[in-house]
Amino acid sequence: MIEVFPNGRVAQRQLEGDDYVMLEDFLVYWPRKNRFIMVPKGFITDNGSIPDIIPDAMADNTGDAANAFVAHDWIYKLMTFDVQFECVPPEFYEEWSKRDADLLMRDIMVLAGEPRYKAWIAWTGVRLNVLAAWRWR
């Protein structure tokens, strides 16, 4: 079972537009990889970019499910921009892939109470984006 600390939705403050800043550290334990992910206070996320073609009823990037998008955005930022953060051990970069980030997002959405079909839709959307925009790792 995935564990999210603190329980419930992480504290965020909305900035201009669709961006939010993390007001506290956010820790996730993911047993599938036996790894912890720590998203630091101050990280800026958009809580998931959901294309306009997907109806609001099919995807929600607010509430407890926002935790999934925060963790996903953090992993993508680390991998995409080759940024090194003191709070992240070097082995993190070698053991994670974009596929892992997408699967973690799906798992956290289910943990947050989203129906599995909605989590699958979100996962499928990010996987298709990977095919279109990123190289496979």
Side-chain angles (χ1 to χ4, degrees):
M1 172 170 181
I2 294 177
E3 296 182 51
V4 178
F5 309 96
N7 284 332
R9 186 173 183 200
V10 296
Q12 299 177 329
R13 179 174 44 88
Q14 187 166 7
L15 302 173
E16 292 183 28
D18 294 329
D19 290 336
Y20 295 81
V21 63
M22 304 296 298
L23 299 177
E24 60 189 4
D25 292 341
F26 170 54
L27 183 68
V28 176
Y29 173 67
W30 193 33
R32 186 186 302 262
K33 281 285 202 174
N34 192 30
R35 298 282 293 166
F36 284 92
I37 298 120
M38 199 277 296
V39 182
K41 175 181 175 179
F43 175 63
I44 297 175
T45 177
D46 65 359
N47 280 352
S49 303
I50 299 174
D52 292 337
I53 61 169
I54 297 177
D56 290 340
M58 295 300 289
D60 181 13
N61 64 352
T62 61
D64 291 344
N67 295 347
F69 297 110
V70 170
H72 183 266
D73 285 357
W74 173 247
I75 294 170
Y76 263 52
K77 180 174 183 89
L78 292 176
M79 296 180 69
T80 305
F81 296 106
D82 195 29
V83 178
Q84 297 287 325
F85 291 86
E86 290 180 21
C87 62
V88 179
E91 62 270 14
F92 176 92
Y93 302 98
E94 299 167 10
E95 296 181 17
W96 289 84
S97 67
K98 291 176 177 73
R99 180 177 288 146
D100 291 332
D102 299 342
L103 187 56
L104 173 65
M105 179 197 70
R106 185 180 73 184
D107 287 353
I108 294 174
M109 288 181 74
V110 171
L111 173 71
E114 287 292 321
R116 288 188 183 275
Y117 77 90
K118 286 187 179 183
W120 183 85
I121 289 169
W123 175 82
T124 301
V126 295
R127 292 310 303 155
L128 290 173
N129 184 49
V130 167
L131 289 172
W134 305 100
R135 265 190 4 221
W136 285 90
R137 287 195 103 203

